[in-house]
Amino acid sequence: MKRKETTAKRTFSLQTKKALIAYSFLLIPVLFYLAIRIIPAFQAFLMSFTTSSSSAFTMDNYHKLINDEVFWKSVKNTILYVIIIVPLQMLFGLILALAIERMGGKLKWFYRIVFFLPYMTSIVAISWVWRLLYDPNSGILNEILVKLHLPTQEWLGSPSTALISISVVIIWQMMGFCMLLFTAGLQVIPRQYYEAADIDGASKWQTFWHITFPMLNPTIVFLAIIGVIQTLQTFTQIANLTGGSSGGGLGGPLNSTMSVVVYMYNEGFRQYNLHYAAASTVFLFILILIVTLIQFRTFNKSYKL
């Protein structure tokens, strides 16, 4: 009896040691995450209810935010970015994945790398290459339009085309990432479903709509949520395509490309209104939270084949 108790104590001691080692390894990343994400976010939340001249609780920053036309312009632009970019980058990614999957031979890996390369390349480098392409005087896009006897465009210099021009860059860069995830999703669909569809005489569209598309639902949900969150935080492309002395001004021209994050950057790090910028940060957090919850409710459903 005494021997059993001693063995149990040793076992418990060993399990306790294993648990302590595991928690000690987890403690370092948790502390790091708390230090660089949670605590600064909490401080920003508190800052949004104060001003630079007083630490007393106030709603002045939010009142100013609600009445700021430039802020609502940035909100409108951000929503437009989401509406344009997320569906199109997923659509082009799916088309590429389906086209490459249908290809025979050994060149599939080559096309996957070619289309995935933009995603792996620096966003800053890509933005500056596209900035040169969009140049109204020496850019290759306007040279093509001239050869086709079409009117040249200002691209990033015109409020009517600047937002679309930036969206094209982001879609071009992100569709390779979508293609890769859709390819992974296509490869795990059981072949028996397609064989059964062939036997039943289903057309290619019926096979896609009733088998491929429902089976890709987890991939679609993931890409939609990640795409929306990334697009709501779009900054680097806008900064590099419109910033600088030769651009239309950060978020320009006439605030036509300004997103909420760019607005926040302008207020916080160029105008030094840190407390006011913190209020826009809280707004962006609430916006991302609401959109993500709506997406989970809308897309995350099961399909019956």
Side-chain angles (χ1 to χ4, degrees), residues 46 192 240 248 300:
L46 294 178
Q192 299 93 312
N240 286 281
N300 197 17

Side-chain angles (χ1 to χ4, degrees), residues 29 33 48 51 70 85 87-88 102 126 164 200 204 207 232 239 305:
Y33 189 77
S48 69
T51 62
V70 179
I85 292 171
L88 288 179
R102 288 183 176 276
I126 284 179
I164 297 294
D200 291 341
K204 288 183 179 179
T207 303
L232 287 173
L305 297 179

